[in-house]
Amino acid sequence: MRDHLPAAALKRREAFRRVEEAFAAHGFVPLETPAMERLSTLLGKYGEEGDQLIYRVLHRGERLARALGRDPVEPGDLSELGLRYDLTVPLARVTAEYRAQLPAVFRRYQIQSVWRADRAQRGRFREFTQCDADIVGSKSLIADAEALVVLHASLAALGFSDFTILLNHRELLRALIAASGIPADSEQETLVVLDKIGKIGREAVETELGGLAAVGPDRARRLLDLVPDDAEDRDGDLERLRKLGGALPEGPGRSAASDLIGLFDALDGALGETAPIRFSPSLARGLSYYTGPIFEVVAAGGAGSLAGGGRYDGLVGMFSGRDTPAVGFSLGMERILMLLEEGGVFSAEGAAPQAMLCPLPEIAVRDTLRVARTLRAAGVRLDVQVDSLKKLGKQLSRAVAAGVRFALILGPDELAGGRCTVRNLETGEQHTVPLAEVRKNLT
């Protein structure tokens, strides 16, 4: 968990603003939910590994004392609330709880903090901000395509260009697991391991799968023989999908391969045939609630996942008891911001103060603030020197320390003429202009 000092906070806010603008441009509306949810809402939605990473909130006062007095003390005795693990499960709860007040097809975005009791590492934190966009209420392939379109638009708005969106389908994976002879009740743990191929390689995954009691070496080998390596190009992706679909019996697995081919075709129209969309046969997405197409964004250079999501048609029904299809994704904003910072391609100049007003000692407070009001009304993002510093040099040093590019010097002559002197603190150049022209000189 981290503090964000002004320079970092400004960049974060600018990033969130760009993402929010991209979401809104594609018809999504905002939603906010509490930081805490009932454990009954959270548990059982993320798989066994995810459940272990949920921060539980202890009871307080007498209730906690009573719980501690039990012998033995069970974890469930101590808490009934947990911090948000993600934004998808709260969305499912809200959709079920307020379905009469929401449109039949609900496009929502949500930008809020989540918490995971994870091992901290580069680009991964225990408190971080997720940016989600989801479409609830439609089984149409168009909904899946639209989710990928807004995902692509969000990354482009942040300045990303070199990234790839990897696609797969949970039903296709389930069919391959079944064809390998792996029991259905071991499907989730198999998917968690299979999802590691891109990180640890096929050989290590085969060893780990072989060590699972319900899988064993022979079934692990059969599964990996069925899961092809990634193809070299888009045409190869489509060919592999056709072969996989043809090799499977009639049923959900074959339909899944057909759905992915249709999704590629839909995205050709939405993003063009050169869009960075690829089929990744080993992509599994560890969360247990996915039911259909799944996707993940990877940046060039092995920087890890930038975003991930997919279709989860069964999750809302856990709360409502009704079939409610949904698809969506989450941006990994912490890793995205880290990469943009390292690449030097992201600026928050549009959010930071542009200038500091530096009045000379003989200028009255009233006149200083009147000029500041005029400049701000004209659109200047303005800081004002608030200390009574007699030497202009000290005021300019304060302006440099504040991180602004320009000092606006206000002396008696400037005040009398409705002007100020604009000094570029980077180059030292300065010139005197009317107050009405200050904004266009701050470049």
Side-chain angles (χ1 to χ4, degrees):
M1 300 183 186
R2 301 165 298 156
D3 298 308
H4 300 291
L5 298 182
L10 284 168
K11 289 183 178 180
R12 291 172 65 83
R13 292 192 176 205
E14 173 64 12
F16 298 145
R17 184 196 66 78
R18 295 187 190 187
V19 169
E20 190 167 12
E21 194 173 79
F23 289 165
H26 289 77
F28 290 76
V29 294
L31 174 70
E32 296 182 0
T33 62
M36 291 186 289
E37 295 279 352
R38 294 186 181 279
L39 286 174
S40 58
T41 297
L42 299 174
L43 295 175
K45 312 304 188 304
Y46 308 108
E48 183 177 348
E49 183 178 349
D51 284 350
Q52 294 174 357
L53 301 181
I54 293 172
Y55 276 110
R56 300 181 181 223
V57 180
L58 285 176
H59 293 315
R60 294 172 294 132
E62 292 183 5
R63 193 173 183 186
L64 177 59
R66 287 196 303 270
L68 291 173
R70 294 172 184 167
D71 186 19
V73 178
E74 300 292 339
D77 298 333
L78 301 175
S79 175
E80 65 179 9
L81 298 173
L83 293 177
R84 270 192 314 249
Y85 180 90
D86 75 349
L87 301 179
T88 307
V89 167
L91 167 65
R93 175 190 58 76
V94 166
T95 303
E97 187 173 346
Y98 299 97
R99 62 181 181 270
Q101 302 173 42
L102 298 173
V105 177
F106 179 35
R107 290 181 178 231
R108 92 81 168 84
Y109 72 84
Q110 190 169 349
I111 303 176
Q112 287 187 283
S113 293
V114 299
W115 293 266
R116 297 181 185 179
D118 208 346
R119 182 172 61 86
Q121 55 185 287
R122 182 177 182 269
R124 179 175 291 180
F125 308 97
R126 291 172 178 165
E127 179 187 24
F128 55 98
T129 302
Q130 282 191 336
C131 297
D132 283 20
D134 296 78
I135 301 175
V136 180
S138 175
K139 291 183 177 180
S140 170
L141 194 67
I142 297 176
D144 298 83
E146 278 279 85
L148 289 165
V149 167
V150 73
L151 171 56
H152 186 277
S154 301
L155 292 171
L158 289 168
F160 269 96
S161 57
D162 196 2
F163 62 88
T164 303
I165 301 175
L166 305 177
L167 293 179
N168 204 355
H169 199 296
R170 269 297 178 88
E171 289 294 348
L172 182 58
L173 287 169
R174 289 191 179 104
L176 296 177
I177 288 172
S180 305
I182 297 172
D185 58 5
S186 298
E187 177 185 290
Q188 183 56 35
E189 63 177 348
T190 300
L191 288 174
V192 170
V193 177
L194 186 63
D195 198 40
K196 299 178 182 178
I197 281 185
K199 299 174 184 176
I200 65 175
R202 295 176 72 91
E203 185 174 336
V205 164
E206 183 175 341
T207 299
E208 190 169 343
L209 282 173
L212 297 178
V215 179
D218 290 341
R219 289 171 175 168
R221 193 175 305 110
R222 284 202 296 271
L223 174 59
L224 290 176
D225 286 344
L226 290 172
V227 177
D229 290 319
D230 294 347
E232 295 182 358
D233 53 34
R234 181 181 174 282
D235 289 340
D237 287 339
L238 296 176
E239 181 61 26
R240 285 172 184 259
L241 280 169
R242 293 188 186 99
K243 286 183 177 179
L244 279 173
L248 292 170
E250 191 70 38
R254 180 178 292 187
S255 297
S258 178
D259 285 347
L260 285 178
I261 292 171
L263 190 53
F264 268 98
D265 186 60
L267 291 169
D268 285 349
L271 300 173
E273 293 187 12
T274 59
I277 311 292
R278 298 298 307 277
F279 170 51
S280 179
S282 63
L283 175 66
R285 301 289 299 160
L287 296 177
S288 60
Y289 53 59
Y290 289 118
T291 60
I294 49 178
F295 42 88
E296 189 165 287
V297 180
V298 293
S305 173
L306 303 183
R311 178 162 286 280
Y312 51 100
D313 288 346
L315 185 60
V316 179
M318 291 184 182
F319 299 97
S320 67
R322 299 172 54 181
D323 180 27
T324 307
V327 61
F329 66 87
S330 178
L331 291 170
M333 288 302 296
E334 308 303 336
R335 184 168 290 168
I336 285 172
L337 284 165
M338 180 185 69
L339 292 174
L340 291 173
E341 179 73 20
E342 290 176 353
V345 298
F346 187 76
S347 170
E349 288 186 4
Q354 296 168 290
M356 177 180 285
L357 182 60
C358 299
L360 298 185
E362 53 267 43
I363 302 300
V365 171
R366 174 188 178 90
D367 291 327
T368 298
L369 296 180
R370 176 175 55 81
V371 170
R373 182 185 67 185
T374 300
L375 292 169
R376 286 166 174 157
V380 178
R381 299 190 304 278
L382 184 69
D383 191 353
V384 175
Q385 175 57 249
V386 294
D387 287 337
S388 299
L389 300 175
K390 294 183 178 181
K391 293 185 178 181
L392 178 61
K394 287 190 175 181
Q395 294 203 45
L396 296 179
S397 295
R398 289 280 183 92
V400 170
V404 299
R405 288 184 60 198
F406 298 93
L408 307 182
I409 303 168
L410 183 64
D413 292 341
E414 287 91 350
L415 181 64
R419 304 159 72 87
C420 72
T421 297
V422 179
R423 181 183 180 91
N424 187 318
L425 296 172
E426 295 177 354
T427 66
E429 297 178 358
Q430 67 180 47
H431 50 282
T432 303
V433 299
L435 295 179
E437 297 180 13
V438 167
R439 183 182 178 188
K440 67 181 181 181
N441 281 272
L442 303 181
T443 57

